[in-house]
Amino acid sequence: MNIEFLKKLCAANGVSGHEQAVVEIISQEIKGMVDDCKTDALGNLIAHKKGPGKKMMLAGHMDQIGLLISHIDKEGFLRFAPIGGFNHQNLLSQRFVFPSGLLGVVSCERLDDPKDMAIDKLYIDIGAKDKEDAMKQVKVGDVCVFANPPEENGNVFITPALDDRIGCFIMIEALKKLKKPAFDLYFVFTSQEEVGLRGAGTAAFSIEPDYGLAFDVTVSADTPKVRPLPSKMYGGAAIKLKDRSLLCHPVMIRHLEKCAEKGKIKHQYEILEMGGTDSGAIHVSRGGVPSGVISIASRHIHTSNEMCALSDIEDCIALTVAALETAIG
Amino acid sequence: MLLEKLTTACGLPGFEDEVRDIIKAELEGHVDSLKVDRIGNLVAYKKGKKNSPHVALSAHMDEVGLCVTGIEKDGTLKFESWGVDGRLLPSMHVAVGNEKLPGVVGCKPIHLQKDSERKSVYELDAMYIDIGCDSKEETEKLVNKGDFVAFVSEFTEFGDNQVKAKALDDRVGCAAIIELLKSDLPYSVTGIFCVQEEVGLRGSAMLSKSLEADLVINIEGTICADMEGVDEDKQVTNLGAGPCLSLLDMASVYQKKYLEAIVKVAEDEKIPYQYRKSGMGATDAGKYHTGGTGIPCIGIAVPCRYIHSPVSVMHKCDFENLIKLVKAFIINGAERVIGK
């Protein structure tokens, strides 16, 4: 497993709708391993690896949640609109970074009651002298992401971009290991998942796959007072059963189960109560596409410190290779 | 004035016929084809000297209002709201159904209200529409459940180039597209007039599966909250400051390269513009960029104060500058950015 590449992938700035930096890193990495590689109108990166049999579309999303600058005030402080799902508590006092490398810190207006805290009470301070000085460094419409650098830490990997560069990484590492694909494979690195599975929908429409398989993070239900759910960090590759966007197709669930058992790959099941993933858009494309998801149980999702276990990454890669080399029924 | 004709017409979601007929009559002879699809969207095509790049312009014909849900024993109507703030309704003058029967939204007179009632807001079910009938039987001859109820509001010009009307959202977009289709453009252009935007972007959802265009410019009337007491960063747009370009809303993240291209045209041609400073709301662009294989979109709008009310207010210069900017973009900007 190439941790250095994972770090590079997670350090890229790729807010929904602004995924170009991630596209460049991935295209560079997979060049030569696929038969065709292109981007579409929504910014999806679609890589075709020809193989026998039915068409399978794999999807991992390149985009991450971020903030879009909506206003610059007289004193040079920035207001923003969130792109994707943020809890305001996870924003306060965090550092954010713009594609230019400029840093900003999130702070809150003076409040009479701390309970009044809300996203629209927060602002970004880039340390500007005034509006004019700020406008030399940043424009309305610019986007920024959590600034924490990706780190390997003991048995885990920590980065604000885990969701879902880890899905992209699992797909890429599986592609590298793939010997005899059993499907005609489309590796799709999707755009705009965090704002409503938008890229996966148009990609599925143009590919017309027979099967869909997405890769994404899911909740690790082992943190204090978390609601009980089946998936946990260190539990192995997680085979999704359902979330808010889809009920995984039994054919895909059985296929993943069978591959995991046959290859003695550590695995578990997962159900996500809130949220969805790209297979949610793929499975309702055109006439319908049987779809599943390989998930990685992660702690602190949608914060500046998303965390997953290195061993689970290995298990997910192993399960992906097995699932792509084994034909379905 | 075209905008007066368009805003005076009624067109609740699903009942856009009157608006569509006006638009069709306006465009007759100015475009090469005019088609109405099965859900009621009107699509006009005007051939230019060059076919590519092909820009589609889209606006929605429907407006917010009320819908009749019941007829009471005393001949009054119960209703539900389609996108209207219930607090605006008491004493409103309305038009009911295709015949546009005059009606008023009534509630208990101030003299009879308890202290607690004076301090609270009327719930929708405490209000009713009075159409001047005294019995259920009489009303039933004139009104059916499901009939639309539209605002009645005179188109008025006032102040410095300002206009007050109902339904500026989005007749202002319809009017802009009509003007653009009537003007001389070097490229082939499609003009789209959608149904049912206000109830969930439904008309555009259908069109988005089959539309062939390189770019959609979605034209709207949008929120303008530049009034006393609203913090500058929450005003969204400012009246008279030029057409508003969308960055983000709940249905779209607008692609930067197209945004930058239209901003460049505005700056080159010295046309005022502003950004729409909010991530809230949604437009038909949300469907165009995600339908089928996806068509990139630009979102542009005329700022409208008191939107979704009978007294929406816009500045004529914003409307004129929007038309000027879209036209300049089609002529000088589109080819530079599309397919690049």
Side-chain angles (χ1 to χ4, degrees):
Chain A
M1 186 164 72
N2 186 347
I3 286 286
E4 284 316 305
F5 174 63
L6 178 58
K7 283 187 181 166
K8 187 174 163 192
L9 199 53
C10 292
N13 200 315
V15 180
S16 311
H18 303 75
E19 298 92 352
Q20 193 51 36
V22 189
V23 168
E24 277 158 30
I25 292 170
I26 296 177
S27 326
Q28 193 64 30
E29 187 74 11
I30 64 174
K31 200 172 55 184
M33 290 190 280
V34 290
D35 298 290
D36 180 42
C37 200
K38 61 176 188 209
T39 55
D40 69 4
L42 250 74
N44 293 303
L45 177 64
I46 302 176
H48 185 192
K49 169 113 179 138
K50 286 184 188 159
K54 301 222 167 182
K55 266 194 242 177
M56 186 185 283
M57 170 175 164
L58 313 182
H61 67 90
M62 297 185 289
D63 63 312
Q64 67 191 116
I65 56 174
L67 307 177
L68 178 136
I69 305 308
S70 57
H71 180 73
I72 303 174
D73 75 14
K74 280 203 297 290
E75 284 76 28
F77 297 109
L78 319 178
R79 296 289 176 153
F80 57 84
I83 297 184
F86 278 99
N87 182 330
H88 58 76
Q89 291 163 359
N90 298 327
L91 284 172
L92 188 63
S93 303
Q94 296 294 324
R95 285 187 191 187
F96 275 77
V97 63
F98 291 86
S100 65
L102 179 73
L103 286 176
V105 298
V106 175
S107 195
C108 187
E109 298 171 3
R110 185 189 59 77
L111 298 174
D112 293 325
D113 183 344
K115 282 191 191 135
D116 293 339
M117 222 231 311
I119 262 191
D120 65 0
K121 308 279 187 206
L122 303 177
Y123 62 89
I124 299 175
D125 180 5
I126 54 166
K129 282 181 231 161
D130 51 27
K131 184 170 186 170
E132 197 191 340
D133 187 32
M135 285 174 73
K136 282 182 204 148
Q137 303 176 69
V138 62
K139 290 198 307 286
V140 168
D142 283 355
V143 288
C144 55
V145 295
F146 285 123
N148 297 20
E151 313 257 18
E152 186 182 357
N153 186 59
N155 301 320
V156 299
F157 194 79
I158 308 172
T159 165
L162 195 71
D163 178 5
D164 184 31
R165 300 298 151 70
I166 195 65
C168 300
F169 180 74
I170 292 163
M171 285 164 62
I172 295 164
E173 293 300 295
L175 171 63
K176 289 175 185 168
K177 292 192 166 148
L178 203 56
K179 291 195 189 80
K180 268 191 82 183
F183 302 91
D184 192 26
L185 293 169
Y186 288 83
F187 287 77
V188 184
F189 302 93
T190 61
S191 64
Q192 303 199 29
E193 190 268 359
E194 293 291 358
V195 286
L197 323 181
R198 294 180 191 158
T202 58
F205 187 91
S206 64
I207 292 167
E208 296 187 61
D210 299 300
Y211 298 105
L213 182 58
F215 299 82
D216 209 339
V217 299
T218 191
V219 169
S220 172
D222 57 355
T223 50
K225 297 195 180 173
V226 70
R227 285 167 63 82
L229 286 169
S231 55
K232 290 177 178 55
M233 234 166 78
Y234 301 109
I239 299 169
K240 186 184 287 290
L241 301 176
K242 62 164 268 194
D243 63 24
R244 289 287 283 271
S245 70
L246 90 156
L247 304 171
C248 291
H249 198 283
V251 163
M252 285 304 284
I253 297 174
R254 297 290 96 81
H255 178 63
L256 295 173
E257 260 171 4
K258 194 176 87 182
C259 293
E261 279 159 16
K262 199 166 158 226
K264 297 195 170 51
I265 301 160
K266 191 170 181 186
H267 64 287
Q268 57 184 335
Y269 295 98
E270 71 102 342
I271 292 170
L272 195 57
E273 291 180 307
M274 301 295 286
T277 189
D278 281 338
S279 280
I282 299 168
H283 86 295
V284 292
S285 180
R286 293 189 184 256
V289 183
S291 300
V293 182
I294 295 178
S295 305
I296 183 154
S298 310
R299 294 178 185 157
H300 323 304
I301 294 173
H302 284 206
T303 75
S304 55
N305 296 301
E306 298 178 334
M307 179 191 289
C308 73
L310 299 172
S311 61
D312 289 340
I313 304 178
E314 297 279 15
D315 292 330
C316 286
I317 296 168
L319 178 55
T320 305
V321 173
L324 302 188
E325 290 183 343
T326 311
I328 292 178
Chain B
M1 193 183 174
L2 175 60
L3 193 58
E4 177 170 1
K5 214 195 250 179
L6 284 168
T7 54
T8 309
C10 295
L12 262 77
F15 300 91
E16 295 88 353
D17 312 57
E18 187 187 354
V19 181
R20 188 170 47 237
D21 289 345
I22 293 171
I23 299 172
K24 272 163 82 174
E26 282 291 331
L27 290 178
E28 210 67 64
H30 293 279
V31 294
D32 296 281
S33 76
L34 266 174
K35 284 181 192 148
V36 179
D37 71 12
R38 285 185 292 170
I39 197 176
N41 297 307
L42 173 64
V43 181
Y45 177 73
K46 181 172 178 168
K47 211 170 151 35
K49 284 199 187 74
K50 293 190 229 170
N51 273 325
S52 168
H54 180 186
V55 173
L57 308 171
S58 181
H60 65 89
M61 295 185 286
D62 60 316
E63 66 186 278
V64 297
L66 314 173
C67 176
V68 176
T69 55
I71 299 171
E72 302 286 274
K73 275 202 231 92
D74 65 357
T76 58
L77 312 173
K78 299 310 269 183
F79 59 89
E80 64 178 28
S81 164
W82 287 359
V84 185
D85 180 350
R87 290 171 296 185
L88 300 178
L89 294 174
S91 304
M92 193 180 278
H93 181 188
V94 294
V96 181
N98 288 327
E99 301 301 320
K100 297 194 194 171
L101 297 172
V104 292
V105 181
C107 53
K108 210 186 215 181
I110 189 165
H111 318 71
L112 305 181
Q113 289 172 11
K114 289 183 220 142
D115 235 25
S116 60
E117 286 175 321
R118 288 192 186 187
K119 285 181 188 139
S120 63
V121 172
Y122 276 108
E123 298 292 335
L124 284 194
D125 56 15
M127 292 184 263
Y128 52 87
I129 297 167
D130 184 343
I131 58 162
C133 292
D134 290 330
S135 70
K136 187 170 184 174
E137 293 68 35
E138 211 182 318
T139 300
E140 274 173 346
K141 285 182 205 149
L142 302 167
V143 181
N144 288 311
K145 284 186 197 173
D147 280 358
F148 72 76
V149 181
F151 301 143
V152 174
S153 174
E154 202 181 338
F155 179 93
T156 308
E157 297 191 41
F158 69 134
D160 171 27
N161 269 311
Q162 295 188 23
V163 163
K164 164 245 152 183
K166 73 170 181 70
L168 284 176
D169 172 12
D170 185 25
R171 302 295 151 69
V172 71
C174 298
I177 297 177
I178 294 169
E179 295 280 338
L180 286 158
L181 288 173
K182 283 181 178 176
S183 72
D184 191 22
L185 295 169
Y187 298 100
S188 299
V189 170
T190 296
I192 301 168
F193 304 89
C194 284
V195 295
Q196 302 193 32
E197 190 267 359
E198 295 291 359
V199 287
L201 320 181
R202 294 182 191 157
S204 56
M206 269 194 63
L207 273 176
S208 69
K209 311 272 190 232
S210 55
L211 181 66
E212 283 180 21
D214 298 308
L215 178 77
V216 176
I217 302 180
N218 194 67
I219 307 180
E220 271 280 4
T222 198
I223 311 162
C224 174
D226 60 347
M227 49 284 281
E228 193 59 36
V230 180
D231 288 340
E232 208 187 317
D233 61 291
K234 296 181 181 63
Q235 293 181 350
V236 188
T237 64
N238 296 82
L239 205 71
C244 322
L245 295 167
S246 287
L247 301 163
L248 175 76
D249 60 37
M250 286 159 80
S252 304
V253 179
Y254 294 86
Q255 285 187 44
K256 208 165 181 172
K257 79 171 182 181
Y258 299 100
L259 195 62
E260 284 172 351
I262 195 165
V263 163
K264 185 169 187 313
V265 170
E267 283 172 357
D268 288 351
E269 314 250 339
K270 301 196 169 43
I271 302 167
Y273 70 95
Q274 56 183 322
Y275 291 112
R276 183 182 180 276
K277 294 181 285 188
S278 171
M280 301 309 286
T283 75
D284 286 324
K287 294 299 176 194
Y288 292 123
H289 85 288
T290 55
T293 56
I295 302 172
C297 296
I298 287 176
I300 189 166
V302 172
C304 296
R305 285 183 186 151
Y306 328 121
I307 196 165
H308 283 207
S309 90
V311 295
S312 301
V313 170
M314 63 163 243
H315 202 295
K316 280 204 273 185
C317 296
D318 291 333
F319 174 66
E320 281 151 19
N321 281 320
L322 180 143
I323 293 172
K324 215 193 263 181
L325 179 53
V326 172
K327 188 171 176 185
F329 176 79
I330 293 171
I331 296 171
N332 295 324
E335 196 163 0
R336 270 189 253 153
V337 64
I338 289 167
K340 299 287 185 300

